[in-house]
Amino acid sequence: MTHLDSAKRTLELEILALQEQLGQLDHQFDQACELLLGLTGRVIVTGMGKSGHIGNKIAATLASTGTPAFFMHPGEASHGDLGMVTRQDAVLALSNSGETQEVTSLLPLLKRLGIPIISITGAPQSTLAREATLHLNASISREACPLNLAPTSSTTATLALGDALAIALLEARGFGPDDFALSHPGGSLGRRLLLRVADIMHQEDQVPRVPPQASLREALFEITRTGLGFTCVVDEQDHLLGVFTDGDLRRVLDLSLDLHSTRVEQVMTLKGKRVQPEQLAAEAVHIMEESKISALPVVNQQQQLVGALNMHDLLKAGVI
């Protein structure tokens, strides 16, 4: 068997394990969702070894999608960390065998506190499955490991079941992009969802502007001064009348128009695309890409010029 053959066999076995989960989902999954939706506390995920690593990821996914959660190591729980659990919480316990001693030893203490337990195991008749409030069956036909020993297909199945739980809760809560951004403010996704045009636009004297009577020469100087690739054309009250861009300049030069005598209002793009300060920076990106332009004026509700930004600003801010 080649390395490639081995890889394909592993993936095929793990795909099979995921397909098996579809037939094993039942009413207990619905009940688990309802239980977690009704919590006033948090979901405490626990598991040992490979199940613990999977549990860490499930806890992180739950927390980032609107369900407060954290991971508790079962070994540490027996030495004081159980104090983190309150009567308002629920425990999501993972164990493929359902007999992991560090996990099952917590059951009497959790039951004494009246804390609901949702178990995910590959053994529906195991101690953990029987003693839990609700059990989610993650059993598989075999591991991808040729020895059928190393947790591979089983951990994939458990992880996928955790994802299914998190997404079902997300959808039930009506958790949207703005909510997601609030829990991911430091990432690129958070920047795309939270950053507003006002946060990155150029302002005051850094905004290129000329009156409609300005000559092409004056417009060219203004484009060069600010380096944004365009200038806005405004009236005496700063209302945006149009824009004149580098591209417009090249077309003017092809027509051999005189830079001194030609007024910018004769060759500007009337009105043109624009954004407002409170719009998401991601919306500005969309407008630029759709219109195949690299800069935008920013106007207020009265269509007065208040800022400007270009694609470089968006790249620098990490929106793209």
Side-chain angles (χ1 to χ4, degrees):
M1 181 180 290
T2 67
H3 300 312
L4 191 58
D5 289 335
S6 176
K8 288 180 178 179
R9 174 186 169 279
T10 297
L11 293 176
E12 286 169 356
L13 287 171
E14 297 207 348
I15 289 169
L16 174 61
L18 294 178
Q19 290 173 333
E20 289 172 333
Q21 302 315 299
L22 292 173
Q24 291 166 184
L25 287 173
D26 59 18
H27 66 282
Q28 295 212 49
F29 185 88
D30 278 327
Q31 292 175 359
C33 290
E34 291 302 320
L35 189 157
L36 297 181
L37 286 169
L39 278 186
T40 56
R42 303 146 304 170
V43 181
I44 298 163
V45 187
T46 190
M48 194 72 183
K50 304 297 188 297
S51 292
H53 295 307
I54 297 300
N56 257 305
K57 194 276 180 184
I58 292 175
T61 300
L62 287 167
S64 70
T65 53
T67 301
F70 67 86
F71 178 78
M72 178 181 69
H73 192 286
E76 298 295 335
S78 296
H79 295 275
D81 281 5
L82 202 60
M84 295 187 291
V85 184
T86 73
R87 295 179 187 274
Q88 288 73 47
D89 300 331
V91 168
L92 179 61
L94 316 180
S95 170
N96 186 43
S97 69
E99 302 294 346
T100 305
Q101 192 274 329
E102 291 88 347
V103 176
T104 57
S105 67
L106 301 178
L107 295 175
L109 300 169
L110 295 172
K111 285 175 172 289
R112 183 176 177 181
L113 292 170
I115 293 169
I117 303 164
I118 301 170
S119 64
I120 301 180
T121 81
Q125 302 307 316
S126 63
T127 300
L128 183 57
R130 291 196 317 270
E131 297 297 325
T133 311
L134 294 166
H135 175 250
L136 303 181
N137 184 9
S139 58
I140 58 165
S141 298
R142 63 169 290 115
E143 298 286 6
C145 166
L147 303 176
N148 200 30
L149 294 175
T152 44
S153 298
S154 59
T155 49
T156 298
T158 301
L159 180 60
L161 200 50
D163 285 343
L165 194 60
I167 299 307
L169 295 171
L170 174 153
E171 292 177 336
R173 296 182 195 279
F175 192 85
D178 288 346
D179 301 304
F180 196 90
L182 290 173
S183 60
H184 296 75
S188 59
L189 179 61
R191 286 192 292 273
R192 290 199 300 273
L193 293 173
L194 288 176
L195 205 63
R196 305 281 173 178
V197 168
D199 298 323
I200 57 174
M201 70 183 188
H202 297 269
Q203 301 180 61
E204 299 176 352
D205 66 342
Q206 291 304 307
V207 181
R209 70 187 82 198
V210 293
Q213 300 80 19
S215 67
L216 289 184
R217 181 174 180 273
E218 291 170 320
L220 176 58
F221 281 155
E222 185 67 355
I223 292 173
T224 304
R225 181 184 72 83
T226 57
L228 295 182
F230 81 121
T231 186
C232 302
V233 183
V234 298
D235 64 17
E236 293 179 356
Q237 287 76 42
D238 259 355
H239 293 109
L240 183 65
L241 304 176
V243 295
F244 185 72
T245 68
D246 284 340
D248 293 328
L249 177 62
R250 285 190 290 273
R251 286 187 286 275
V252 165
L253 294 176
D254 286 340
L255 295 173
S256 301
L257 296 178
D258 184 76
L259 294 179
H260 295 274
S261 61
T262 305
R263 298 190 307 276
V264 71
E265 64 181 342
Q266 297 174 267
V267 291
M268 69 181 183
T269 299
L270 286 170
K271 298 186 181 300
K273 300 294 182 181
R274 60 195 70 191
V275 289
Q276 295 187 339
E278 63 274 12
Q279 285 182 259
L280 291 173
E283 292 181 72
V285 174
H286 178 71
I287 292 171
M288 289 185 188
E289 290 176 341
E290 286 286 304
S291 306
K292 295 181 173 57
I293 56 178
S294 60
L296 280 171
V298 184
V299 298
N300 61 20
Q301 295 286 348
Q302 291 74 42
Q303 301 303 304
Q304 292 171 302
L305 185 67
V306 294
L309 76 164
N310 66 8
M311 197 66 80
H312 178 73
D313 300 321
L314 296 162
L315 281 166
K316 187 177 178 180
V319 182
I320 303 174

